Amino acid sequence: MAPLLRRNRRGDPADRMVTLIGKPDCHLCEDAEAVVAQVCAETGASWEKKDITQDAELHRAYWEQIPVVLVDGAQHDFWRVNPDRLRRALGA
């Protein structure tokens, strides 16, 4: 595929931001957090965690899908996070 037609932004994974959206006492969220933390540590990407119980807008948007993973603000995954797929999305 021609470089101009690629969907994924490539570059240094350290310039990427992963956002994990979940809630407390959610076993899938805990599993997703472990994957996100490990992949981001390996790749140098930044990550943050957001709690849907503290944000009404996030709750409305994602309450049926948590945990949800965003990469640079775009939805990447929900429910289960595949570490290899996340690495590829980060360009690693």
Side-chain angles (χ1 to χ4, degrees), residues 28-75:
L28 289 177
C29 300
E30 293 167 2
D31 293 347
E33 183 175 353
V35 172
V36 167
Q38 177 184 356
V39 170
C40 288
E42 291 171 6
T43 63
S46 299
W47 75 280
E48 63 184 351
K49 184 165 76 170
K50 295 190 177 183
D51 180 351
I52 65 165
T53 66
Q54 302 297 315
D55 186 314
E57 185 177 330
L58 288 177
H59 187 272
R60 274 191 302 277
Y62 298 114
W63 73 274
E64 290 183 320
Q65 296 180 324
I66 64 164
V68 175
V69 174
L70 311 177
V71 175
D72 295 331
Q75 188 167 341

